Amino acid sequence: MSALASLKKSLISLPLFQSRENSLRKAATAFSGLTLAETLKKNRPQMKRYDLSFYIGFTLIVLSWIISVMSFYLLVFTWIPYLVGTVLVALSNQELKKKLLTTTLPIVGYVPITFIFLYLYNYTSPKVFLISKEQTGILRIIYDQQCGEKYVIENDKITISFPKDGIIILAEKFDGNTNPKDEYYFCDDKGNRQKTNSIEIRSAGVIDLKNTLSNNSKDFRYVEYVINSNYQNDYIYRQRYDSLTRNKVNDCNIRASANRR
């Protein structure tokens, strides 16, 4: 036993063991001066904490922004979740720069992105519209009527010729979209065309039609244009024009039904 004790004492006295013992003593001394939480924080890997407040706020901002771009009319509702999302992002532990970018970029980009979205959404093949020089006021295209006309293609463009009453009935699917390359022409009895920029699309909608064949209510879809140079938004005029439209569509369906018999 004395020999083993002597050997152990000799090994401990070596410089290697003395250095190791000193290191352990220093570590113990340093540890004793720190709290447990501070020691763990100092020694564990620094991992980015999942910031629940930020990600919930970010989600609310993105969703409300997308809905607002898709529908301007919902903007009166979407500002509420957007505001809540902004508050959550502001209260999060993210960097100030990231907070500012998250909350301000959607506002800055709203107008240009909305414009691009509406342009792409409303994009359709360019058309040529031929209008009688005698036509005034409202122009209407009635869609989805079996008794109506098919599109006429001239020079690879859809060409729509309005009759003198300004109402044309088509056997085509509804198309309420526009194209910046649409062309409008006034035409005389000889077919001469004069390009004009005084025509604009005003609205699209549905008019109820009393079908005299089955005596049931029916509706049809239309797109309305106006000639700006002579258009007056007169209530009585519109009522008369609605009545004229109903009668024309009804007569068209009656003739088509008679021809099928």
Side-chain angles (χ1 to χ4, degrees):
M1 292 295 293
S2 60
L4 290 175
S6 177
L7 178 61
K8 181 178 179 181
K9 185 176 180 180
S10 299
L11 291 174
I12 293 175
S13 64
L14 292 175
L16 177 63
F17 283 91
Q18 291 179 350
S19 177
R20 179 64 176 174
E21 183 178 7
N22 291 335
S23 298
L24 291 173
R25 287 176 179 174
K26 289 181 180 179
T29 302
F31 180 79
S32 62
L34 298 173
T35 65
L36 179 61
E38 291 174 336
T39 304
L40 292 174
K41 183 177 179 181
K42 181 178 180 181
N43 291 279
R44 72 181 179 183
Q46 295 297 319
M47 298 181 65
K48 190 174 182 179
R49 189 167 63 86
Y50 185 80
D51 197 335
L52 187 61
S53 174
F54 173 79
Y55 289 105
I56 292 177
F58 177 79
T59 301
L60 289 174
I61 289 174
V62 171
L63 290 178
S64 59
W65 184 81
I66 292 175
I67 295 173
S68 299
V69 169
M70 295 179 64
S71 177
F72 173 79
Y73 299 103
L74 294 177
L75 190 60
V76 294
F77 304 105
T78 55
W79 70 269
I80 298 175
Y82 186 92
L83 182 61
V84 173
T86 301
V87 172
L88 290 174
V89 169
L91 295 176
S92 68
N93 295 321
Q94 299 295 318
E95 297 177 355
L96 178 60
K97 181 179 179 181
K98 190 173 184 179
K99 293 180 182 179
L100 292 176
L101 289 176
T102 303
T103 55
T104 58
L105 279 181
I107 298 176
V108 174
Y110 176 76
V111 173
I113 296 300
T114 301
F115 177 81
I116 294 172
F117 171 78
L118 292 176
Y119 176 82
L120 295 176
Y121 178 79
N122 290 325
Y123 184 82
T124 185
S125 301
K127 300 181 182 69
V128 175
F129 297 88
L130 305 179
I131 306 148
S132 172
K133 294 186 70 173
E134 301 175 4
Q135 175 62 34
T136 60
I138 297 175
L139 304 169
R140 275 184 181 162
I141 303 176
I142 313 300
Y143 288 95
D144 296 314
Q145 300 298 312
Q146 294 182 359
C147 63
E149 306 174 19
K150 292 290 187 179
Y151 280 141
V152 176
I153 308 298
E154 294 183 2
N155 299 322
D156 296 327
K157 291 184 179 180
I158 296 173
T159 301
I160 299 176
S161 299
F162 288 96
K164 291 185 178 181
D165 62 6
I167 303 171
I168 184 170
I169 303 174
L170 298 178
E172 302 287 350
K173 294 295 183 181
F174 179 79
D175 182 6
N177 299 327
T178 60
N179 190 305
K181 295 183 180 180
D182 286 344
E183 300 176 14
Y184 303 90
Y185 295 91
F186 285 124
C187 302
D188 58 22
D189 294 336
K190 296 181 180 179
N192 298 317
R193 300 181 182 182
Q194 180 182 357
K195 194 170 185 178
T196 178
N197 294 320
S198 63
I199 311 296
E200 68 174 28
I201 186 169
R202 178 57 59 92
S203 64
V206 176
I207 294 181
D208 177 73
L209 174 66
K210 192 70 174 180
N211 191 331
T212 56
L213 295 176
S214 60
N215 204 29
N216 293 323
S217 294
K218 188 180 179 181
D219 55 29
F220 57 86
R221 304 184 71 183
Y222 71 91
V223 174
E224 184 174 288
Y225 299 79
V226 295
I227 303 174
N228 292 332
S229 60
N230 52 30
Y231 173 70
Q232 295 181 354
N233 191 11
D234 182 83
Y235 176 78
I236 297 177
Y237 168 73
R238 292 193 65 86
Q239 291 297 309
R240 290 176 178 174
Y241 204 77
D242 288 347
S243 179
L244 175 62
T245 304
R246 290 189 183 94
N247 291 336
K248 185 166 184 176
V249 174
N250 211 3
D251 291 342
C252 177
N253 287 324
I254 291 173
R255 290 194 302 270
S257 179
N259 292 334
R260 289 194 296 267
R261 292 178 182 174

